Amino acid sequence: MFLSVFDIFKVGVGPSSSHTMGPMVAGARFLAALRSSPFEARGLRARLYGSLAFTGKGHATDRATILGLAGFEPESYKAAAAETALAANRATHLLTPPGLAPLVFDPERDLVFDFGPALAGHANGMVIEALDAEGDVLLQETYYSIGGGFVRTAAELAAVDAKTLAEPSPVPFPFRTAEEMLTMAQASGLTIAQMKRRNERRFRDEAAIDAGLGRIWSVMAECLARGLATEGILPGGLKVKRRAKAIHEALLAERGLNLAPPHTVNDWISCYAMAVNEENAAGGQVVTAPTNGAAGVVPAVIRYWLDHVPGATAARVGEFLLTAAAVGGLIKTNASISGAECGCQAEVGSAAAMAAAGLAAVLGGSPEQIENAAEIALEHHLGMTCDPVKGLVQVPCIERNGLGAIKAISAASLALRGDGTHLVPLDAAIETMRQTGRDMHEHYKETSLGGLAVNVPNC
């Protein structure tokens, strides 16, 4: 199963790839199915299950579902147009998606948060129905938002079994494990980024790959810059104050002072990551890396490298992203990048592993050192829970991205001090993360039923 760099890194909208982007994608997919069906629908209904129900409102799942059924998609999302569509729905209880007649949709009645058992396929499940004039169901589909903005129908999820994973891949370097990745790198004499690029060329030419990578970094950098320039209170009711702008201004004022302690570099790294995740929490445009909740780690590490490491050049950002995507693909294929499935180890832990690999690559690491960097970063996130206060992607998520970026840089640095040989292989860390997520109580997997979410006053 080939995962493109453009699958791992997707342009979208905050605050959550699973809870915001996923339902929006599901809604758009349902509209496409409805357009090609012989039925003439008059109304729509959506029911949210599991984590989508428990933390849905905090993650803007209600807004995202309405917008998806109105025809919006994350890649082309426009905030002003979205607000207009939401206002129109509140006033008329109608949705007017392109290519379809107006459809009745009253969120108070037709958008149901089901706090009972989750659906069988995944913790993030939803069912969308098209109704006739009498309210009878004409078309129904079950969707699962499986992390990072990826959406599968129930049938698609069931089809991804061991047989599917064993089918031959159409790419020249079809590594499905880190061990295979290292073996192929040694045999070919190519770097991980070069192998990943060769795989991408199976589907796109060089110009398209470079343009896509350039856009990914451009959106990341613009998001980070907005976060560093914006202050105020984040939405959602926790009254969390944006901090990145003030921290950045203080750091700029201190720059060059002889008495500045060396550990201040950690504040720069945290500031960059927090800027991205404050933008994400405010519903801004971000890049899944590999998710929205962990969107700050990779761009923070790239920005650190560009601004603070001698010899860094933006011309190699593509190499960083390709290497990071190779590691992200291994984690998603063999474990999960979904907080609702495996806790925050699957989100910030995966992001840290990806960022560590990317940084090790652009700092001249061998494939073995890159794999070691990713393993160190992931290993030291194992067991991390996902317990967002009030269901918002704010506390502890924003600061957690800063600490994840710091861990990623430390992991890359440690790996580069060695020769790549180490005791725990990346594959073992990934499998441990999968098993830990399986055993983790659902209270700690993006339901806001345990941890900080219940021990911190949130009103």
Side-chain angles (χ1 to χ4, degrees):
M1 180 188 295
F2 171 71
L3 283 174
S4 169
V5 62
F6 305 113
D7 292 324
I8 297 295
F9 297 112
K10 295 191 287 291
V11 176
V13 59
S16 172
S17 47
S18 294
H19 291 63
T20 312
M21 289 175 60
M24 195 180 295
V25 170
R29 288 189 61 180
F30 188 79
L31 292 179
L34 191 56
R35 291 187 189 100
S36 62
S37 77
F39 306 117
E40 187 174 349
R42 297 298 185 186
L44 297 168
R45 185 164 58 208
R47 195 173 194 95
L48 308 173
Y49 295 86
S51 179
L52 288 184
F54 283 107
T55 60
K57 291 193 175 180
H59 287 61
T61 306
D62 47 350
R63 288 170 50 93
T65 302
I66 297 167
L67 291 171
L69 294 174
F72 286 77
E73 297 186 58
E75 177 79 14
S76 56
Y77 177 84
K78 301 295 182 185
E83 293 304 321
T84 299
L86 290 169
N89 177 251
R90 285 193 297 269
T92 66
H93 295 161
L94 292 173
L95 295 173
T96 56
L100 292 168
L103 299 164
V104 174
F105 188 85
D106 179 358
E108 293 297 320
R109 180 193 65 206
D110 299 320
L111 181 57
V112 180
F113 290 80
D114 191 320
F115 300 108
L119 297 179
H122 192 276
N124 292 327
M126 63 188 299
V127 175
I128 305 177
E129 297 172 333
L131 312 173
D132 65 16
E134 285 71 41
D136 294 325
V137 176
L138 297 172
L139 183 68
Q140 176 181 290
E141 186 59 86
T142 299
Y143 296 97
Y144 292 104
S145 181
I146 61 174
F150 291 89
V151 173
R152 299 286 184 268
T153 65
E156 289 167 346
L157 200 65
V160 182
D161 54 16
K163 180 181 177 181
T164 304
L165 293 175
E167 290 175 353
S169 177
V171 297
F173 298 99
F175 51 85
R176 292 188 176 123
T177 67
E179 182 180 11
E180 290 179 355
M181 180 177 72
L182 294 179
T183 299
M184 291 179 188
Q186 185 175 39
S188 67
L190 299 175
T191 66
I192 293 171
Q194 288 169 337
M195 291 193 298
K196 185 67 175 169
R197 181 177 282 271
R198 295 276 184 94
N199 287 347
E200 296 291 339
R201 280 169 51 186
R202 174 68 176 75
F203 306 96
R204 300 170 179 84
D205 61 27
E206 290 284 352
I209 294 170
D210 289 335
L213 293 171
R215 181 163 189 255
I216 289 169
W217 172 236
S218 176
V219 175
M220 284 181 171
E222 288 168 5
C223 176
L224 199 160
R226 288 196 307 273
L228 293 179
T230 307
E231 54 192 1
I233 303 298
L234 293 171
L238 284 181
K239 299 182 180 178
V240 172
K241 183 180 180 181
R242 284 183 181 247
R243 297 158 58 198
K245 181 176 185 289
I247 294 172
H248 188 238
E249 289 174 347
L251 289 168
L252 289 173
E254 295 167 6
R255 177 178 275 172
L257 296 180
N258 291 330
L259 298 179
H263 64 252
T264 299
V265 71
N266 289 332
D267 298 339
W268 285 96
I269 299 163
S270 291
C271 177
Y272 297 149
M274 290 168 63
V276 172
N277 281 84
E278 287 175 355
E279 277 295 293
N280 178 63
Q285 187 181 58
V286 298
V287 175
T288 63
T291 67
N292 283 28
V297 177
V298 167
V301 174
I302 295 176
R303 179 70 180 266
Y304 159 79
W305 171 62
L306 289 174
D307 287 7
H308 300 270
V309 178
T313 170
R316 297 186 68 192
V317 169
E319 179 183 351
F320 187 116
L321 293 173
L322 287 165
T323 306
V327 169
L330 293 177
I331 296 172
K332 187 180 187 311
T333 297
N334 296 297
S336 176
I337 58 171
S338 168
E341 192 170 24
C342 286
C344 199
Q345 58 174 355
E347 296 205 30
V348 171
S350 297
M354 292 164 58
L359 182 60
V362 295
L363 292 178
S366 67
E368 291 77 14
Q369 289 171 316
I370 292 166
E371 184 263 357
N372 189 15
E375 185 281 323
I376 294 170
L378 183 59
E379 179 183 341
H380 297 291
H381 282 89
L382 291 176
M384 181 173 280
T385 61
C386 183
D387 52 353
V389 177
K390 205 177 178 180
L392 301 169
V393 193
Q394 297 179 17
V395 178
C397 320
I398 295 171
E399 286 183 354
R400 186 168 286 174
N401 275 256
L403 274 294
I406 291 169
K407 282 188 182 181
I409 294 166
S410 296
S413 184
L414 281 173
L416 291 172
R417 293 289 183 183
D419 62 3
T421 59
H422 56 106
L423 182 63
V424 181
L426 176 57
D427 289 328
I430 293 172
E431 173 58 17
T432 302
M433 191 257 275
R434 186 192 68 80
Q435 293 177 5
T436 304
R438 179 195 61 197
D439 296 340
M440 189 181 289
H441 196 286
E442 66 174 10
H443 284 188
Y444 304 104
K445 294 193 285 189
E446 209 170 1
T447 59
S448 289
L449 295 174
L452 285 176
V454 300
N455 289 304
V456 174
N458 57 38
C459 58

